Amino acid sequence: MGCWSRRCGVWVELLADTSLRVLPVTTDDVKHMLGELRGSPLLRGARGTRPADLDVLAQVVKNVGDAALSIPDGSLRTLEINPLWVNGDQVEALDVLVVTGRTEGS
């Protein structure tokens, strides 16, 4: 499964295909979240695509959450990965945006 353009994010937003949790999360939390997605059949190999290794994907998502929590309190403003390419046990963040810094008055 994967998308090679930012349009994937548009589809996620239009279809409201999201699952949210408060950090920290466990890999089991992430696997449950992935199962909540309408697009989860794509992760399981729908239409002949290579199934995602959900254990590896869950670990990557957990690690991103852990990294976000490790940034000094109050200084993480944005963390975005779009797209996150998944092909079997290969997971690649093709574009990442991290914005840190305190906002005015904080």
Side-chain angles (χ1 to χ4, degrees), residues 6-58:
R6 289 195 174 270
R7 291 187 182 145
C8 296
V10 171
W11 284 111
V12 167
E13 290 174 22
L14 286 175
L15 298 174
D17 196 9
T18 61
S19 180
L20 303 173
R21 298 292 187 281
V22 175
L23 295 176
V25 292
T26 66
T27 55
D28 286 338
D29 293 332
V30 175
K31 285 191 257 185
H32 186 78
M33 292 168 65
L34 294 170
E36 294 174 354
L37 300 174
R38 289 185 207 146
S40 68
L42 292 171
L43 294 172
R44 294 189 301 272
R47 301 194 59 145
T49 60
R50 185 175 176 199
D53 184 327
L54 296 180
D55 291 327
V56 171
L57 179 56

Side-chain angles (χ1 to χ4, degrees), residues 13-105:
E13 290 174 22
L14 286 175
L15 298 174
D17 196 9
T18 61
S19 180
L20 303 173
R21 298 292 187 281
V22 175
L23 295 176
V25 292
T26 66
T27 55
D28 286 338
D29 293 332
V30 175
K31 285 191 257 185
H32 186 78
M33 292 168 65
L34 294 170
E36 294 174 354
L37 300 174
R38 289 185 207 146
S40 68
L42 292 171
L43 294 172
R44 294 189 301 272
R47 301 194 59 145
T49 60
R50 185 175 176 199
D53 184 327
L54 296 180
D55 291 327
V56 171
L57 179 56
Q59 188 63 54
V60 168
V61 173
K62 179 196 178 308
N63 290 350
V64 170
D66 291 346
L69 288 175
S70 74
I71 296 173
D73 193 35
S75 65
L76 178 63
R77 295 178 54 204
T78 301
L79 191 156
E80 178 182 337
I81 299 172
N82 184 21
L84 184 67
W85 177 257
V86 180
N87 184 15
D89 65 352
Q90 298 174 327
V91 179
E92 296 179 60
L94 299 181
D95 190 14
V96 178
L97 173 68
V98 177
V99 178
T100 61
R102 298 199 181 271
T103 58
E104 231 177 272

